[in-house]
Amino acid sequence: MNPDFNRVLVTGGAGFIGSHLTETLISKGCAVRVVDNFSTGHLSNLAHLKDKVMLYEGDIRDRELMNTAIRGCELIFHEAAEVSVTRTVQDPLESAQINDMGTLQLLETARHSGVKRVIIACSSAVYGDDPQMPKQENMLPRPMSPYAVQKLTGEYYARMYNDLYGLETVSLRYFNVYGPRQDPSSPYSGVISIFMDKAAKRESPVIYGDGEQTRDFVFVKDVVTANLLAASVPDAGGKVFNVGIGSSISINELWRLISRMSGNSKKPEYGPPRAGDIRESLSDISKAEKELGFTPAYSFEKGLEITMEWYKNQ
Ligand code: UD1
């Protein structure tokens, strides 16, 4: 971590990924500010840090709030978003206000406030159903939902701010992130959080389709590492990086692992395939490895064990 960056803002800092980022930044001695409107984040995610973080409760579209929160910051990690793909499908306009206008306004405020660099949370959703595997950053995006279009738009704005205004920006395309604090309570939550919850309750999960669809699951702590590298590597400005582990696993295999670890031997139920589901997802992380020095530190088994411990204690 570059020691120059000592005052940092994390938008969405009370959320799943944002709270892990906040925790690590504080442990590295940064003065951390968080903006969160608690739409999906929870104050409890920051409870152990409450005396160490400056919290601004509100919406990223609130100009005054953002001016205050950004003033004096050198670095911003932009994790706040409407993160439910389904909600963006139901309400493309409202979600565009949050994901596009919110991001644009953040970049604009950052440019006028002397911020050095902004790290944007993007998504593997931008690749859509392109069958080419693994996904490489230079592939033509095929966004298939308002969410994917909005994430891509935020990325394009970020790149434009880098090139046109000299505000350094880096976009990280997260694959399927999992780990402690991921909320399993909605039907659209990440599959690992749902399966962990089922395992803890001794219930059967529902697998949509034949379960042979695959995903590249990356542990949240590795996502934090990628963010810190994106913040500190000198030539990263204006670039886009995949953040995954570069290997994938099927949903059937995922339940087998979780069921073995938890001792819940319940067989899964199978339901109809989920509309819009993609079959395969796999990242090529060689660009992040080469240019950021990123190496995932958590094997899938290790990440799952840590995650299971956390769900057991909930
Ligand atoms: C993920 C992201 C999404 C992003 C997309 C990009 C999450 C939570 N979502 O969606 O934001 O746009 O990648 O490609 O990370 N499944 C079951 N049973 C369940 C839940 C899920 O079988 O109870 C299956 C799904 O049908 C899917 C797989 O598990 O095939 C993964 O689902 P999910 O965790 O929702 O992530 P993605 O659909 O990959």
Side-chain angles (χ1 to χ4, degrees), residues 114-139:
V115 171
K116 289 202 179 75
R117 193 175 280 191
V118 182
I119 316 300
I120 300 269
C122 191
S123 169
S124 61
V126 301
Y127 296 111
D129 63 353
D130 190 327
Q132 189 188 316
M133 294 294 153
K135 309 290 192 195
Q136 288 169 331
E137 292 87 344
N138 58 8
M139 286 166 59

Short mmCIF file of all heavy atoms in Angstrom, two decimals, residues 114-139:
data_model
loop_
_atom_site.label_atom_id
_atom_site.label_comp_id
_atom_site.label_asym_id
_atom_site.label_seq_id
_atom_site.Cartn_x
_atom_site.Cartn_y
_atom_site.Cartn_z
N GLY A 114 -9.03 17.03 -5.90
CA GLY A 114 -7.63 16.65 -5.75
C GLY A 114 -7.40 15.18 -5.42
O GLY A 114 -6.33 14.81 -4.93
N VAL A 115 -8.41 14.35 -5.68
CA VAL A 115 -8.23 12.91 -5.45
C VAL A 115 -7.22 12.37 -6.46
O VAL A 115 -7.22 12.77 -7.63
CB VAL A 115 -9.59 12.17 -5.61
CG1 VAL A 115 -9.42 10.66 -5.58
CG2 VAL A 115 -10.57 12.62 -4.53
N LYS A 116 -6.34 11.46 -6.00
CA LYS A 116 -5.32 10.94 -6.92
C LYS A 116 -5.86 9.79 -7.77
O LYS A 116 -5.62 9.69 -8.95
CB LYS A 116 -4.11 10.45 -6.13
CG LYS A 116 -3.31 11.57 -5.50
CD LYS A 116 -1.87 11.07 -5.21
CE LYS A 116 -1.01 12.17 -4.62
NZ LYS A 116 -1.33 12.45 -3.20
N ARG A 117 -6.58 8.89 -7.12
CA ARG A 117 -6.99 7.70 -7.85
C ARG A 117 -8.34 7.18 -7.34
O ARG A 117 -8.62 7.25 -6.14
CB ARG A 117 -5.93 6.61 -7.71
CG ARG A 117 -6.11 5.46 -8.68
CD ARG A 117 -4.99 4.46 -8.61
NE ARG A 117 -3.77 4.87 -9.32
CZ ARG A 117 -2.74 4.06 -9.56
NH1 ARG A 117 -2.77 2.82 -9.14
NH2 ARG A 117 -1.67 4.50 -10.19
N VAL A 118 -9.12 6.65 -8.27
CA VAL A 118 -10.41 6.03 -7.93
C VAL A 118 -10.41 4.59 -8.44
O VAL A 118 -10.10 4.36 -9.62
CB VAL A 118 -11.60 6.80 -8.56
CG1 VAL A 118 -12.92 6.16 -8.15
CG2 VAL A 118 -11.59 8.28 -8.18
N ILE A 119 -10.73 3.66 -7.56
CA ILE A 119 -10.83 2.25 -7.96
C ILE A 119 -12.33 1.93 -8.04
O ILE A 119 -13.06 2.12 -7.07
CB ILE A 119 -10.18 1.30 -6.92
CG1 ILE A 119 -8.83 1.84 -6.43
CG2 ILE A 119 -10.06 -0.12 -7.49
CD1 ILE A 119 -7.79 2.03 -7.47
N ILE A 120 -12.73 1.46 -9.22
CA ILE A 120 -14.15 1.23 -9.48
C ILE A 120 -14.44 -0.28 -9.42
O ILE A 120 -13.72 -1.07 -10.04
CB ILE A 120 -14.49 1.71 -10.91
CG1 ILE A 120 -14.21 3.20 -11.06
CG2 ILE A 120 -15.89 1.35 -11.33
CD1 ILE A 120 -15.36 4.10 -10.75
N ALA A 121 -15.50 -0.65 -8.72
CA ALA A 121 -15.92 -2.06 -8.70
C ALA A 121 -16.78 -2.33 -9.92
O ALA A 121 -17.90 -1.83 -10.04
CB ALA A 121 -16.72 -2.35 -7.43
N CYS A 122 -16.23 -3.10 -10.85
CA CYS A 122 -17.00 -3.50 -12.04
C CYS A 122 -17.35 -4.99 -11.89
O CYS A 122 -17.18 -5.55 -10.80
CB CYS A 122 -16.19 -3.20 -13.29
SG CYS A 122 -17.15 -3.37 -14.81
N SER A 123 -17.86 -5.61 -12.91
CA SER A 123 -18.37 -6.98 -12.76
C SER A 123 -18.09 -7.82 -14.00
O SER A 123 -18.10 -7.30 -15.13
CB SER A 123 -19.89 -6.91 -12.53
OG SER A 123 -20.46 -8.19 -12.64
N SER A 124 -17.94 -9.12 -13.79
CA SER A 124 -17.80 -10.05 -14.91
C SER A 124 -19.09 -10.09 -15.72
O SER A 124 -19.11 -10.66 -16.82
CB SER A 124 -17.48 -11.44 -14.38
OG SER A 124 -18.52 -11.90 -13.56
N ALA A 125 -20.16 -9.49 -15.19
CA ALA A 125 -21.43 -9.42 -15.94
C ALA A 125 -21.24 -8.74 -17.29
O ALA A 125 -22.01 -9.01 -18.22
CB ALA A 125 -22.47 -8.66 -15.12
N VAL A 126 -20.21 -7.89 -17.42
CA VAL A 126 -20.03 -7.19 -18.70
C VAL A 126 -19.74 -8.16 -19.85
O VAL A 126 -19.99 -7.85 -21.00
CB VAL A 126 -18.91 -6.11 -18.64
CG1 VAL A 126 -19.22 -5.08 -17.57
CG2 VAL A 126 -17.54 -6.73 -18.42
N TYR A 127 -19.24 -9.37 -19.54
CA TYR A 127 -18.93 -10.35 -20.60
C TYR A 127 -20.18 -11.05 -21.13
O TYR A 127 -20.15 -11.67 -22.19
CB TYR A 127 -17.94 -11.41 -20.09
CG TYR A 127 -16.59 -10.83 -19.73
CD1 TYR A 127 -16.16 -10.77 -18.42
CD2 TYR A 127 -15.76 -10.35 -20.73
CE1 TYR A 127 -14.91 -10.25 -18.09
CE2 TYR A 127 -14.51 -9.81 -20.41
CZ TYR A 127 -14.09 -9.76 -19.08
OH TYR A 127 -12.87 -9.24 -18.78
N GLY A 128 -21.27 -11.02 -20.35
CA GLY A 128 -22.52 -11.65 -20.77
C GLY A 128 -22.34 -13.12 -21.08
O GLY A 128 -21.60 -13.81 -20.38
N ASP A 129 -22.99 -13.57 -22.15
CA ASP A 129 -22.97 -15.01 -22.44
C ASP A 129 -21.97 -15.37 -23.54
O ASP A 129 -22.11 -16.39 -24.21
CB ASP A 129 -24.38 -15.50 -22.82
CG ASP A 129 -24.88 -14.83 -24.09
OD1 ASP A 129 -24.19 -13.90 -24.58
OD2 ASP A 129 -25.95 -15.22 -24.58
N ASP A 130 -20.97 -14.55 -23.73
CA ASP A 130 -19.94 -14.87 -24.72
C ASP A 130 -19.33 -16.23 -24.35
O ASP A 130 -18.82 -16.41 -23.24
CB ASP A 130 -18.86 -13.78 -24.68
CG ASP A 130 -17.88 -13.92 -25.84
OD1 ASP A 130 -17.62 -15.07 -26.25
OD2 ASP A 130 -17.39 -12.89 -26.33
N PRO A 131 -19.41 -17.21 -25.25
CA PRO A 131 -18.93 -18.56 -24.90
C PRO A 131 -17.41 -18.67 -24.80
O PRO A 131 -16.90 -19.68 -24.31
CB PRO A 131 -19.47 -19.44 -26.03
CG PRO A 131 -19.73 -18.52 -27.17
CD PRO A 131 -20.00 -17.16 -26.59
N GLN A 132 -16.68 -17.67 -25.25
CA GLN A 132 -15.21 -17.78 -25.21
C GLN A 132 -14.72 -17.82 -23.76
O GLN A 132 -15.09 -16.99 -22.94
CB GLN A 132 -14.60 -16.57 -25.93
CG GLN A 132 -13.08 -16.71 -26.11
CD GLN A 132 -12.46 -15.42 -26.64
OE1 GLN A 132 -13.00 -14.78 -27.55
NE2 GLN A 132 -11.33 -15.03 -26.07
N MET A 133 -13.91 -18.84 -23.45
CA MET A 133 -13.36 -18.99 -22.10
C MET A 133 -11.85 -19.10 -22.18
O MET A 133 -11.35 -19.73 -23.10
CB MET A 133 -13.89 -20.26 -21.42
CG MET A 133 -15.34 -20.28 -21.11
SD MET A 133 -15.81 -19.09 -19.88
CE MET A 133 -17.49 -18.85 -20.40
N PRO A 134 -11.08 -18.65 -21.21
CA PRO A 134 -11.53 -17.79 -20.13
C PRO A 134 -11.78 -16.37 -20.62
O PRO A 134 -11.39 -16.01 -21.73
CB PRO A 134 -10.34 -17.83 -19.16
CG PRO A 134 -9.15 -18.06 -20.03
CD PRO A 134 -9.62 -18.90 -21.17
N LYS A 135 -12.45 -15.60 -19.78
CA LYS A 135 -12.78 -14.22 -20.18
C LYS A 135 -11.55 -13.34 -20.05
O LYS A 135 -10.88 -13.33 -19.00
CB LYS A 135 -13.85 -13.65 -19.25
CG LYS A 135 -15.07 -14.51 -19.08
CD LYS A 135 -15.91 -14.57 -20.32
CE LYS A 135 -17.26 -15.20 -20.00
NZ LYS A 135 -17.99 -15.62 -21.18
N GLN A 136 -11.25 -12.63 -21.14
CA GLN A 136 -10.12 -11.71 -21.13
C GLN A 136 -10.62 -10.29 -21.27
O GLN A 136 -11.64 -10.05 -21.93
CB GLN A 136 -9.17 -12.04 -22.29
CG GLN A 136 -8.42 -13.34 -22.03
CD GLN A 136 -7.67 -13.84 -23.24
OE1 GLN A 136 -8.07 -13.60 -24.37
NE2 GLN A 136 -6.59 -14.56 -22.99
N GLU A 137 -9.88 -9.38 -20.67
CA GLU A 137 -10.33 -8.00 -20.60
C GLU A 137 -10.54 -7.36 -21.96
O GLU A 137 -11.32 -6.42 -22.09
CB GLU A 137 -9.32 -7.15 -19.80
CG GLU A 137 -9.24 -7.48 -18.32
CD GLU A 137 -8.25 -8.60 -18.01
OE1 GLU A 137 -7.85 -9.34 -18.93
OE2 GLU A 137 -7.87 -8.73 -16.83
N ASN A 138 -9.80 -7.86 -22.97
CA ASN A 138 -9.93 -7.21 -24.29
C ASN A 138 -11.07 -7.78 -25.14
O ASN A 138 -11.26 -7.39 -26.28
CB ASN A 138 -8.60 -7.29 -25.05
CG ASN A 138 -8.14 -8.73 -25.24
OD1 ASN A 138 -8.89 -9.67 -24.93
ND2 ASN A 138 -6.92 -8.91 -25.73
N MET A 139 -11.86 -8.71 -24.59
CA MET A 139 -13.01 -9.23 -25.34
C MET A 139 -14.08 -8.14 -25.44
O MET A 139 -14.19 -7.30 -24.56
CB MET A 139 -13.61 -10.44 -24.61
CG MET A 139 -12.77 -11.68 -24.75
SD MET A 139 -13.24 -12.98 -23.57
CE MET A 139 -14.94 -13.28 -23.98
#
